Amino acid sequence: MADNLSEYSKIDTIMKNHFWEESALISILHEIENLYNYLPDWALRHISEKLNIPMIQVYGVASFYNAFHLKPRGKHLIRVCEGTACHVKGGQRVMEELERKLNVEAGETTEDLNFTLERVNCLGCCALGPIVMVDDNYYGKMSPVKLGPLIMQLKKTRINNK
Amino acid sequence: MMVSITIDGVKVQAEEGSTILEVAKFYGIEIPTLCYHDELTPYGSCRLCTVEVDDGRKTRLVASCLYPVEEGIRVKTHTERLIKGRKMILELLIARCPNSKILQDLASEIGLEQVRFKTENEDCILCGLCVRMCAEQMRSGAIGFVGRGQKREIVTPFRMASEICRNCGACMYICPAVNLKCQGVNSPGELCNSCLIITPQCLEKYGQVMCTQESCGVCIKKEKK
Amino acid sequence: MKKIRNRTHLEKIRRKLLENRESGKRCITISSGTCGRVSDSQKVVEAIYTAVKNHGVEDKVYIRVTGCHGFCQVAPILVIYPDGIFYQQVTAKDAEDIITETILANRVVDRLLYVDPTTGQKIVYEKDVPFFVKQKRLLLGNNRFVDPTKIEDYIAVGGYKALGKVLFEMNAEEVIEEIKRSGLRGRGGAGFPTGAKWESCNSAKGAIKNVVCNADEGDPGAYMDRSLLEGNPHSIIEGMIIGAYAIGAQQGYIYVRYEYPLAIKNTQLALNQARKYGLLGKNIIGSGFDFDIKVAIGAGAFVCGESTALIASVEGKMGEPRAKYVHTVERGLRNNPTNLNNVKTWANIPLIINYGATWYSKIGTEKSKGTGIFSLVGKINNTGLVEVPMGTPLREIIYDIGGGIPEGKKFKAVETGGPSGGCLPAKLLDLPVDFERLTEVGSMMGSGGMIVMDENTCMVDVALYFLNFLEDETCGKCVPCREGIKRMLEIVTRTTKGLGKEEDLKLLEELAETVKDFSLCGLGKTAPNPVLSTLRYFRDEYEAHVRDKKCPAGVCKNLIEYFILETACTGCGSCLKLCPQQAIKGELKKPHIISSENCIKCGICSDACPVEAIIVR
């Protein structure tokens, strides 16, 4: 169940904007993911009911794509580009350093729910690799050494968030 | 409308729109399958039924359960290339589900000699028969494919008891992998070979198994239970 | 601009727009695609606007913010037309000087010029920049002259002229014939003849037909589709309208990966503008032809670059491919005839209509016509997008245009075709790049990604990288792909850890054969290519890992050691401070030592060492 009824009407508005079309499921799920930072169960059930799509199909689509998450994620998203160019320039080491410093594995969220560390498919900024994204900000030409200031900044954010 | 195709060197008539597998079955040619059931829509995921099709321009490997017959195609169902691939597919499947009697039987039939991969202990080969059974025959659709790649599995929505599941058991009935547990295996990953024996000699001579229509009795001793 | 009533009206509007453009003012063009923005190009734009205003030179210049110019290594790029003065790595602080020096005083700002690394010469004009000299930028070139958010720019440079010709002078069959004659082949990877595809879709039975643009561009390291779509969306839209006319389609879709927000935004904006001016919708510019395009967004699945998986995704389903025994041109989206082509393929269409199939077929090789766009990335001096005629040798692309390998290192391999392609060694550097040649040597053109690798790249690690990627991205439907890739990955992982056995390589090849032959879709069928090509050309590296337990390139962690050269170490302690495992010991000004027990091979020490005393062995 959603926290309150007005949450359902938010979903309804999204579906209405997509003309209640079954084929708009992916776009609808994107908007819900943007709203809640993940796809709550109750939202998926609501969509299945209102758009008349079998629940297993909605659940299947939600589980298939990288952009969608069925569990809540951290307040801040740290994404490391795993493109080939970034890899060849040492992207793996950048990821490992972040894993060490944040004490999580790629794909996981820190205990305080502040940060989620993820791999992301090639961002197409290969000239500036290895690339790390923190929320909507891009940081290019990263290396384990250069991560130092970035991680300091993240730790400050963590303190601010408390 | 009828079309004429050649299958394993034999020219036959086939109904337009039917699949190679259907035609083969009609003429008594056995092609191994796992994810196929004649009462359900073919899915083409196990790839065991793969055959070679020469359409006059090139030869391709296709899933016979899905490929529609066309005028003039020449089909081969048991070449060396196909048998090699089927063996590998079974090797991969047994490494995933070593305790399935049906998989062990298929392995024996095809002459698989070793499993070179570290075995897992999965129950499901993801053939999807249960999903199609539930959706098409039982008209329920309570279970389905969820996740991608290595995380792919067949579950109910949210992995919770389904409101639309009627407990009919059709999914368990149709499951080819774990319905029967193999009794002959002594250690995990071992190949059993006690129900069926095979050493095809014609394969070396002719490049393909010759007895797709009728067993010559030299090698395959069918003692299916 | 008013709604375009007919072809004559369009030409009238075009003339007027051209007049305005060539009004005697100079044009300050700033490249601001996604990677430009990562380099703060938007700040440059703001600063230029401010500087123009402050100096009151609005009567002398106008500003155009464009998409990617292709020479990404030196972004943000600022070019002043009509002169062609080329400034690179421009920052907001440079705006003032650009206006005072170049616009007002007609002097060049020296520090912003590109320096040719081989001659040391400063290059003033865009046309002389070595990166561009050997290119033939038929498609990407227009990115410089068009603000993607302004349809007027596109029309001014000749946009929708081809559409006018098609709608009012040609019938569907004539259009198809022209595309066939041009020899254009699909730029998505498989290289299927586009004209033949259109012809099949045209003759397919069905009242409802669709055209689709595949902008999923999932190959890591490839971003030319993004640059085209971000920088010149109308070129794709125009191509699709022409295609729809030829096929008899009423609805089009542009499927863009969600990782490309700017491309999505600019495409939607372009579609809205096209609709507003009567270039999409009912009765397109008075021709009686109805057609419209929607944007469909991906959700992060590489497999959705495969045509049947893409179509499933447009329908709102999981991106599971299906067997293509019945082609999508006969039964595709919602079981209707659907013609799917890549971004670059669609962008080529207006070009062919405008200049003719005969002209087009003279570019390229016998079987691969036109230009190819390649994203040249990795260990290369000039990272960027390269557009050259098909048949250009790899050497020319990598050395003459790409500027060779940085830090004087040796070229080792170039990977083409992404996860479906293969790695080509130095002995193949003279290979002309076209569809057939690349396939013959065990790779493929794919979407056009070209990742350059040097002596410090381990080819077994490269195979590992691609297998990891594919294992993650496989939809998991069919056994050979799902289980086969998993087991290939296990073997290669073992190999990189020094746990590989002799039999492993044979098993790897057997697996590769089955996955290639028996997989359901293109992803699975081409998945073994990276492994097979590295085995073919770099087998000695695999053998070193298996037999000698060594990684010659110094990459695979379990097989290498970080070592401080006693003679070179100054004892500054920089490495000691930064080591996350406190594995380095040493007194100030005395040589330090790394404890190999505790060392996790993160490489931080080696990066930090100011005298390069830390080596990998």
Side-chain angles (χ1 to χ4, degrees), chain C residues 509-531:
Chain C
E509 281 170 328
E510 261 189 66
L511 267 168
E513 220 185 296
T514 305
V515 176
K516 198 167 170 178
D517 282 348
F518 286 75
S519 288
L520 186 152
C521 81
L523 188 152
K525 291 192 172 127
T526 57
N529 285 351
V531 171

Side-chain angles (χ1 to χ4, degrees), chain C residues 175-290:
Chain C
V175 178
I176 293 175
E177 194 50 42
E178 191 71 356
I179 302 301
K180 276 172 83 175
R181 276 198 324 118
S182 73
L184 175 68
R185 290 169 69 170
R187 296 291 195 259
F192 190 83
T194 310
K197 200 181 217 178
W198 286 19
E199 197 171 48
S200 310
C201 200
N202 171 298
S203 25
K205 294 194 185 75
I208 303 174
K209 293 188 185 176
N210 301 296
V211 291
V212 175
C213 171
N214 184 344
D216 193 56
E217 197 168 54
D219 284 5
Y223 61 101
M224 54 296 250
D225 290 6
R226 168 166 71 69
S227 291
L228 272 175
L229 202 52
E230 263 176 16
N232 197 356
H234 285 285
S235 62
I236 286 104
I237 294 171
E238 187 179 2
M240 286 177 77
I241 307 175
I242 294 173
Y245 177 80
I247 287 161
Q250 307 82 11
Q251 182 65 45
Y253 296 86
I254 300 179
Y255 184 85
V256 192
R257 35 187 322 236
Y258 91 106
E259 292 96 332
Y260 286 170
L262 187 59
I264 294 171
K265 187 167 148 217
N266 286 357
T267 305
Q268 281 169 336
L269 188 61
L271 288 171
N272 285 343
Q273 289 182 348
R275 254 175 238 126
K276 192 168 167 198
Y277 297 116
L279 290 154
L280 275 176
K282 293 224 180 303
N283 192 18
I284 294 178
I285 58 171
S287 65
F289 177 56
D290 303 339

